[in-house]
Amino acid sequence: MSQFEFISSSEDHPGSSSATEEEILAKAAHQALSERPRISVRLRISLVFLLCFLLTSAITVALIILISRISERQFFLETVANFHFEILQARRFEKNFFLYDANLQDALDQITKAKTILETYEAEIQSVIGNEDFEKMRSSLEQYDQQLHHLFRLRQDSSLQRSKEQEIIEKELRAAGTQILQYAADVILQERYRMHTLIHTSTLTATGSLVLLLLLMIYMASFLARQIVRPLNRLERHTQRIAAGDFSPILPARKYRDEFSNLTIAMNTMVYELKSHQEELMQSRKMAAVGTLTAGIAHELNNPLNNISLITESLLDDFDDYPENQKKKMLGDIFTQVERASGTVRNLLDFTRMEKPAFVSLNIKEVITATLKLITNEAMLNNVELELDLNDDLPLIKGNSRNLQQVFLNIFLNGIQAMPTGGKLSIHAAKTDERLIRVDVKDTGSGISAEHLDKIFDPFFTTKEVGMGTGLGLSVSYGIIEKHNGKISVQSQEGAGTIFSVFLPYTMNHTK
Ligand code: ADP
């Protein structure tokens, strides 16, 4: 059977002929759990990790773009620096020409290189210093180049006219050269500033991403706690409740169906099976108890009836032959057997009596002392020492004195009978924190074996010889204490002794 089919097949279980309220609730819980839209915890966790991965990838891509832009700018900066250098070199050669009449060709070569750089990076330089300044820079370079060429041509001429023209060109060359250098320095300055901004942005992006990732990690931790730890805690609370005997199904608490819903369905199935098995167990225990009861009644009544039958038979057969005193003895025996049978019936009646006996306010100390008077002789004969420890301030209880005396008499006599070679019977009574009076009756007798311990309250269960015990004492006592809203429990160790504890609720916190 699949775990999801258990409710529909509930009719298969013994004792579940019609759908009880609990079964309807279990069915509703099962349906609600199975019908929820499926979003597994695994999927949710995977999604969170995917989100993390995407975010980390986006941050990495952004940082890569920023770094490549920085390296582009770096390259451009170097180019502009080269341009600046070419112009400086040209100006140096120009100066040498004027001072030492050196070769002008070198200056022309430097300017050609500078012009190539300017043409190649035109767009970029424009974006840095703007169109207008770029055009001015270009025209200055053009002018410088032309003047250099002019000067180059004038070198061939040795007239006076040349030296005059040369003077004019020298001035113009200086002005154009200074201007170009000024523009180049401007580009370098601005580019440096741009690079600074880019590096600053990258630092900010890296720091911001780190903070974002940290926040995401915190969210993920709380998300995981919500998704895993919380349902686990909830299931733990439910298992405690189930362990305490509450078999009601676990109801859905989440919007979606996930691994925990499946676990809940499985647990509900388990609880359902557990409950049915417990019922089966109780049923078989009841049957066993009825069996013991029937066998007990048959045995307890059959024995005296058999004896009566044997005695009357022999009286009928040989009535005239028996002497008078023998006849009297035999009739006495018949009376004893009738008494024994009616004792069994009386016990049985006590055991099955349904009506509630009259309850009055009682002092438990008085009930116990009155009962003790009945067993003092028996204790003395069996060499049993009695020890009494009853608190003086015991509160009053509501109960029936005769019934309670019957309970304590049973327990005391059982204790004495468990110590055939003597021992000690201690009786201790005190209040508990749960508004109960606890009476402990402890003996140092034979104790009860583990195998018998859970049977001693069953009717007709006895380990005593025929005629010594009926096996009704404790079962009757159990019924009486239950009617008093109390409970009775036992602790025993074979060979060491037994403690019977009777708990009775008290109503008033004062003694009589
Ligand atoms: P009965 O005394 O007629 O046998 P009870 O119901 O009073 O019937 O007790 C059932 C069984 O419990 C006893 O036969 C005995 O085996 C066991 N029992 C009860 N009290 C004690 C005790 N104090 N020590 C040892 N065994 C005990």
Side-chain angles (χ1 to χ4, degrees), residues 296-301 304 337-351 460 470 472:
I297 296 171
H299 183 260
E300 285 300 314
L301 291 182
Q337 295 304 318
V338 171
E339 271 291 288
R340 195 178 147 194
S342 68
T344 304
V345 172
R346 238 191 342 268
N347 265 335
L348 206 58
L349 284 176
D350 279 343
F351 173 65
F460 292 106
T470 58
L472 283 173

Side-chain angles (χ1 to χ4, degrees), residues 234-298:
R234 184 171 169 263
L235 286 178
E236 192 192 335
R237 282 197 300 277
H238 279 294
T239 49
Q240 280 164 359
R241 161 178 77 75
I242 293 162
D246 178 356
F247 290 130
S248 50
I250 306 171
L251 300 176
R254 296 157 79 81
K255 256 195 203 159
Y256 302 102
R257 181 173 172 175
D258 54 23
E259 289 83 347
F260 288 105
S261 318
N262 292 349
L263 182 63
T264 309
I265 290 175
M267 278 179 72
N268 277 347
T269 313
M270 184 196 72
V271 168
Y272 183 81
E273 291 293 333
L274 217 67
K275 190 168 170 265
S276 343
H277 284 127
Q278 202 198 31
E279 274 166 12
E280 274 172 38
L281 206 72
M282 272 169 66
Q283 192 71 13
S284 54
R285 279 210 66 177
K286 264 189 219 160
M287 295 305 288
V290 168
T292 319
L293 181 82
T294 321
I297 296 171

Side-chain angles (χ1 to χ4, degrees), residues 74-356:
Q74 170 80 26
F75 180 72
F76 177 62
L77 195 64
E78 278 166 16
T79 313
V80 180
N82 279 346
F83 175 79
H84 190 260
F85 176 74
E86 302 297 353
I87 303 291
L88 271 183
Q89 284 291 85
R91 294 222 59 202
R92 200 170 298 131
F93 291 128
E94 169 214 315
K95 205 181 256 170
N96 286 348
F97 169 77
F98 286 118
L99 288 178
Y100 316 112
D101 199 21
N103 188 3
L104 251 189
Q105 187 55 46
D106 290 338
L108 279 168
D109 288 349
Q110 301 300 135
I111 289 303
T112 314
K113 280 185 195 166
K115 275 170 89 179
T116 318
I117 293 173
L118 205 65
E119 270 160 31
T120 317
Y121 295 97
E122 180 182 339
E124 294 213 44
I125 298 172
Q126 267 180 356
S127 76
V128 178
I129 51 170
N131 260 355
E132 205 179 318
D133 280 356
F134 179 78
E135 282 313 322
K136 280 183 193 162
M137 185 172 163
R138 189 174 19 212
S139 70
S140 304
L141 190 64
E142 206 53 53
Q143 199 184 342
Y144 190 83
D145 187 33
Q146 279 169 16
Q147 302 289 22
L148 272 187
H149 273 96
H150 196 174
L151 209 58
F152 190 73
R153 283 194 300 276
L154 274 182
R155 263 189 91 198
Q156 287 28 286
D157 191 354
S158 54
S159 63
L160 194 71
Q161 186 64 21
R162 176 197 158 183
S163 60
K164 273 188 182 167
E165 261 190 67
Q166 205 165 293
E167 247 172 68
I168 300 166
I169 291 171
E170 189 181 349
K171 269 186 195 158
E172 283 179 7
L173 262 180
R174 263 191 205 144
T178 316
Q179 193 144 39
I180 300 166
L181 281 178
Q182 182 62 47
Y183 281 127
D186 230 31
V187 176
I188 290 171
L189 197 75
Q190 291 202 36
E191 195 50 30
R192 278 210 181 113
Y193 177 73
R194 268 191 175 196
M195 259 185 71
H196 251 96
T197 317
L198 262 179
I199 290 169
H200 185 65
T201 314
S202 310
T203 318
L204 275 186
T205 312
T207 320
S209 311
L210 209 69
V211 173
L212 200 70
L213 274 176
L214 183 75
L215 291 178
L216 197 73
M217 294 291 161
I218 293 172
Y219 171 75
M220 264 177 66
S222 83
F223 174 80
L224 284 182
R226 254 182 291 132
Q227 295 299 312
I228 297 167
V229 181
R230 248 198 237 167
L232 277 181
N233 285 344
R234 184 171 169 263
L235 286 178
E236 192 192 335
R237 282 197 300 277
H238 279 294
T239 49
Q240 280 164 359
R241 161 178 77 75
I242 293 162
D246 178 356
F247 290 130
S248 50
I250 306 171
L251 300 176
R254 296 157 79 81
K255 256 195 203 159
Y256 302 102
R257 181 173 172 175
D258 54 23
E259 289 83 347
F260 288 105
S261 318
N262 292 349
L263 182 63
T264 309
I265 290 175
M267 278 179 72
N268 277 347
T269 313
M270 184 196 72
V271 168
Y272 183 81
E273 291 293 333
L274 217 67
K275 190 168 170 265
S276 343
H277 284 127
Q278 202 198 31
E279 274 166 12
E280 274 172 38
L281 206 72
M282 272 169 66
Q283 192 71 13
S284 54
R285 279 210 66 177
K286 264 189 219 160
M287 295 305 288
V290 168
T292 319
L293 181 82
T294 321
I297 296 171
H299 183 260
E300 285 300 314
L301 291 182
N302 216 23
N303 264 351
L305 287 177
N306 253 346
N307 292 343
I308 292 167
S309 148
L310 284 174
I311 302 167
T312 35
E313 210 179 294
S314 89
L315 264 179
L316 282 173
D317 286 350
D318 308 308
F319 188 79
D320 296 327
D321 300 341
Y322 282 125
E324 264 323 287
N325 59 344
Q326 179 68 15
K327 282 185 211 161
K328 260 195 187 157
K329 189 183 171 295
M330 286 170 93
L331 283 171
D333 285 347
I334 291 177
F335 182 73
T336 313
Q337 295 304 318
V338 171
E339 271 291 288
R340 195 178 147 194
S342 68
T344 304
V345 172
R346 238 191 342 268
N347 265 335
L348 206 58
L349 284 176
D350 279 343
F351 173 65
T352 51
R353 190 168 284 137
M354 297 301 283
E355 86 272 16
K356 212 174 168 186

